[in-house]
Amino acid sequence: MSPQQLPLAVQLPDDEIFSTFLVGNNLTLSSWLKALPETEPPLKRNQQLTWLSGAHGVGKSHLMHSVIAAVEQQQRIAYLPLRELAKVDAAAVLQGIDQADLICLDDIDAVTAEPSWNFELFSLINRVTDNESTRLIMTAQQSAVQSQVQLPDLQSRFQWATGFQVQPLTDQEKVEALILRAQWRGLELPKDVAGFMTQRLGRSMRDLMTALNELDKASITFQRRLTIPFVKQVLEI
């Protein structure tokens, strides 16, 4: 399957790519992920497994989506948003995906309280490391060693992964990140407007980018430039 043929017909955000991710204090992590699709098998265990931890909205999914966007068209990809799949039969969801070149398990901590998911994830990681070619990226709020699991052997498998904690951006970097994303959209976002948004809308980058999407649509609809009064009107703040 190609990046355009992901399981469950998942549509990934087209603006969540490496060039729209403000690196900040995540240079080592960013470099690791950019190199990941280019590493030739056979792979060592720590090359196959990557664990990204960090608070909600810090950019874990953005980075995962960036890796998916960067792989070559002929590579097979399995992307699973596990928060949405927690109530689905684990064996059915994970069956056969170890044949993919890249597996992305987003929010893996959403399923680790379920015994059936524990056993199936344990089996999946064993199959992945046995084949020495599949790359598996997992995201969670906690590090691998701090993850709450029902199966101790699964936690030991998680700790095989090369782990990174995604560092949050400073307030100034969030302003820069908003401007960068706006530029990618062909939208002019003045620095004072971006600063106003970070002050009034909280510090979650996910919330800020959701607001930017809304402003982009409003700017096109009403043919208006982004000013503080216009932002106040559209976002009702």
Side-chain angles (χ1 to χ4, degrees), residues 43-90:
L43 303 174
K44 297 178 181 178
R45 198 167 63 188
N46 68 326
Q47 294 175 306
Q48 288 187 271
L49 307 177
T50 301
W51 184 282
L52 306 182
S53 63
H56 175 73
V58 79
K60 302 185 300 294
S61 296
H62 185 153
L63 286 166
M64 180 177 278
H65 299 161
S66 298
V67 178
I68 292 171
V71 301
E72 296 179 359
Q73 290 289 323
Q74 67 268 25
Q75 291 199 36
R76 298 163 297 174
I77 299 170
Y79 171 80
L80 300 176
L82 294 183
R83 195 166 299 282
E84 301 173 24
L85 300 172
K87 302 302 181 184
V88 181
D89 179 62

Side-chain angles (χ1 to χ4, degrees), residues 13-31:
D14 59 0
D15 60 350
E16 293 194 352
I17 53 181
F18 282 123
S19 61
T20 62
F21 182 80
L22 192 76
V23 174
N25 202 26
N26 295 293
L27 181 58
T28 302
L29 162 59
S30 177
S31 298

Side-chain angles (χ1 to χ4, degrees), residues 118-129:
N118 276 238
F119 285 109
E120 294 300 332
L121 287 169
F122 176 77
S123 176
L124 172 65
I125 293 174
N126 285 339
R127 297 196 306 273
V128 164
T129 52

